[in-house]
Amino acid sequence: MRRKLAAGNWKMNGTPEMLAELSTLSSGDSGPQIIICPPAPLLTRAADVTLGSRVEIGGQDCHANASGAHTGDIAATMLKDAGATSVIVGHSERRADHAETDAQVRAKAEAACRAGLTAIICIGESEEERLGPDCLGIIAGQLDGSTPDTATADTTVIAYEPIWAIGTGRVPTMEQIIETHDMIRANLITRFGDQGAQMRILYGGSVKPANAADIFKAENVDGALVGGASLKASDFQPIIDALAAS
Ligand code: PEP
């Protein structure tokens, strides 16, 4: 039985005042896992605010190395020390802004695992790729290249995020979501056996209170990675509630 997960990515947004939003989020005793990934300077304060609550804290990226001369970067162990339980790796904005490759994303996921963090590995196609002849093959290639050989259901979550749906208000059709998540599930099972069957697959890209319940109907959608709608509890809580009810 896969535990549902609602993860929020604040990206380069957020102020100390906004942390109060976190303390109001809830999912009941056996409801979905909730993770919020604020910008790194807010991590420790976010961990303090959420101490004893249902909300866990995650990082938005980590370096593949444990330490060294990497100005501006953050080691997975540092995120762990700050109170994080997980870290997003390979978000399309990092792949685009920092030219991150699948191999680098895989190394980051391995570093996260060594540090005791869950790696939320992002994959997803551009609009051009979605319209092209081999969209699923491209996503499968990213999945294969970005996921460590040692991945287990405890260490790894996959987030399928079509780039063209992020922050645009556009969402794939349910057929596209189902087909893509089913393909990801089949590939995970082929590669990781039962662990692949237990690994959670999130959908990300313009998830809102109005569309969440429909998206969560898909069998292989185990939750969501949410950007804009995770910034306010009044938007994120209905998404958590829809996930709990799915
Ligand atoms: C994201 O950045 O991971 C994301 C899904 O953003 P949004 O929900 O704003 O589309």
Side-chain angles (χ1 to χ4, degrees), residues 146-204:
S146 307
T147 310
D149 289 333
T150 51
T152 68
D154 285 337
T155 64
T156 308
V157 171
I158 305 298
Y160 165 58
E161 299 205 304
I163 299 167
W164 52 274
I166 293 178
T168 61
R170 297 168 60 206
V171 178
T173 63
M174 275 315 290
E175 289 73 23
Q176 289 170 328
I177 291 177
I178 291 167
E179 180 185 46
T180 308
H181 279 247
D182 287 356
M183 178 278 291
I184 292 170
R185 174 70 63 214
N187 283 25
L188 291 175
I189 291 173
T190 300
R191 186 164 166 204
F192 299 109
D194 187 52
Q195 287 299 311
Q198 295 309 319
M199 233 173 253
R200 289 168 298 173
I201 307 172
L202 309 182
Y203 168 77

Side-chain angles (χ1 to χ4, degrees), residues 2 18-19 32 38 62 73 81 95 108 146 193 219 221 232:
R2 298 186 296 267
M18 281 171 60
L19 295 176
C62 67
D73 279 314
D81 289 345
R95 289 178 187 259
K108 288 175 182 223
S146 307
E219 186 192 337
V221 172
K232 284 199 220 144

Side-chain angles (χ1 to χ4, degrees), residues 88-189:
I88 299 167
V89 293
H91 191 282
S92 59
E93 286 152 14
R94 291 216 50 98
R95 289 178 187 259
D97 293 352
H98 302 273
E100 290 185 7
T101 64
D102 289 342
Q104 286 169 325
V105 173
R106 179 194 283 231
K108 288 175 182 223
E110 287 167 351
C113 175
R114 281 196 299 277
L117 297 174
T118 300
I120 302 173
I121 301 174
C122 300
I123 55 175
E125 81 283 1
S126 66
E127 183 154 34
E128 197 184 351
E129 289 166 339
R130 172 49 72 182
L131 296 172
D134 190 28
C135 180
L136 291 185
I138 289 167
I139 299 166
Q142 285 182 355
L143 177 68
D144 194 42
S146 307
T147 310
D149 289 333
T150 51
T152 68
D154 285 337
T155 64
T156 308
V157 171
I158 305 298
Y160 165 58
E161 299 205 304
I163 299 167
W164 52 274
I166 293 178
T168 61
R170 297 168 60 206
V171 178
T173 63
M174 275 315 290
E175 289 73 23
Q176 289 170 328
I177 291 177
I178 291 167
E179 180 185 46
T180 308
H181 279 247
D182 287 356
M183 178 278 291
I184 292 170
R185 174 70 63 214
N187 283 25
L188 291 175
I189 291 173

Side-chain angles (χ1 to χ4, degrees), residues 24 27-30 47 79 83 107 123 125 139 193 221 223 226 230 240 246:
T24 69
S27 69
D29 279 348
S30 55
L79 296 174
I123 55 175
E125 81 283 1
I139 299 166
V221 172
V226 182
S230 70
I240 297 167
S246 67

